[in-house]
Amino acid sequence: MRTVLVVEDEPRIASLVREYLENAGFGVLVTSDGRAGLTLARARRPDAVVLDLGLPGMDGLDVIRDLRRDSTVPVVVLTARGDESDRVAGLELGADDYVVKPFSPKELVARVRAVLRRSEAAARPVDRLVVGELEVDAARHRVIVAGRIVTLTPTEFGILATLAREPGRVFTRGQLLDAVHGFSLETYERAVDGHVKNLRRKIEPDPGAPRYVLTVHGVGYTLAEPAP
Ligand code: CA
């Protein structure tokens, strides 16, 4: 049985999340405290972590920072509505996805399943990815759209290849810059929007209504997941 650790200080939310995860077949560990969450994560090695960012004592962002020193366990953070900076900070510290409160427990279960699926897929190296009529061939450094080879700049290719490593995962602008240039400067993050605009012009059938490279407002970009 796969186990999910839930770190949430609101008892009502914690018990609702427990109930839905248990009904979905997961073993569930619950704590209301960030430090206890870290201890449990290290001692019990859950398969995924659901982490509220607004915790008393040790803040959720500090929990991720500390956890990521020695763990790659998939983490879904729970964030307050409207707090986009927390969402971005959570992803940049290494969270895998986020759900905005108030959320539907079914949606949370779906997100947990998705991060588990993606972390298993990411463990296998992928040289070639096909989404609809888009083919990203990382091994040959080649992109094909509807049977036609598309020429991308190294930065455009780097952004697309990064997104293609984990379709469905949201990458912040800072993470995309890191992946492409190996560093990130806040002032340059808007440059990613320019590269994405050019990339869409080359690979999207309708750049005004993207099908492949999708915007996640206030957070970043994601590549559409291939149809199952
Ligand atoms: Ca809270």
Side-chain angles (χ1 to χ4, degrees), residues 8-10 52 54-55 101:
E8 166 61 78
D9 61 308
E10 286 172 61
D52 183 30
L55 293 169
K101 289 180 173 182

Side-chain angles (χ1 to χ4, degrees), residues 86-225:
D86 259 10
R87 250 163 269 169
V88 172
L91 292 173
E92 296 201 331
L93 286 172
D96 297 83
D97 201 357
Y98 61 86
V99 173
V100 180
K101 289 180 173 182
F103 57 87
S104 118
K106 273 189 190 162
E107 157 110 22
L108 177 63
V109 170
R111 297 299 185 91
V112 168
R113 285 205 172 108
V115 294
L116 284 167
R117 195 177 63 235
R118 293 206 304 264
S119 78
E120 280 154 17
R124 300 186 296 269
V126 180
D127 284 342
R128 188 170 158 277
L129 175 94
V130 178
V131 186
E133 293 200 297
L134 170 70
E135 181 184 335
V136 183
D137 187 342
R140 291 189 185 77
H141 230 261
R142 200 168 68 168
V143 173
I144 297 170
V145 181
R148 194 171 52 86
I149 292 181
V150 178
T151 308
L152 300 180
T153 66
T155 301
E156 290 160 7
F157 186 85
I159 289 172
L160 185 60
T162 301
L163 293 170
R165 278 209 300 271
E166 285 183 73
R169 174 173 184 153
V170 180
F171 289 86
T172 66
R173 293 176 177 84
Q175 287 172 326
L176 291 173
L177 272 183
D178 271 350
V180 175
H181 296 302
F183 69 93
S184 154
L185 289 173
E186 186 74 26
T187 47
Y188 289 167
E189 291 189 3
R190 294 293 143 188
V192 171
D193 297 342
H195 292 300
V196 167
K197 195 173 165 197
N198 293 335
L199 181 57
R200 281 175 173 157
R201 217 160 32 219
K202 294 178 182 179
I203 67 168
E204 297 282 357
D206 177 1
R211 184 192 294 181
Y212 302 122
V213 178
L214 311 177
T215 301
V216 182
H217 288 289
V219 182
Y221 296 97
T222 187
L223 191 77
E225 292 189 76

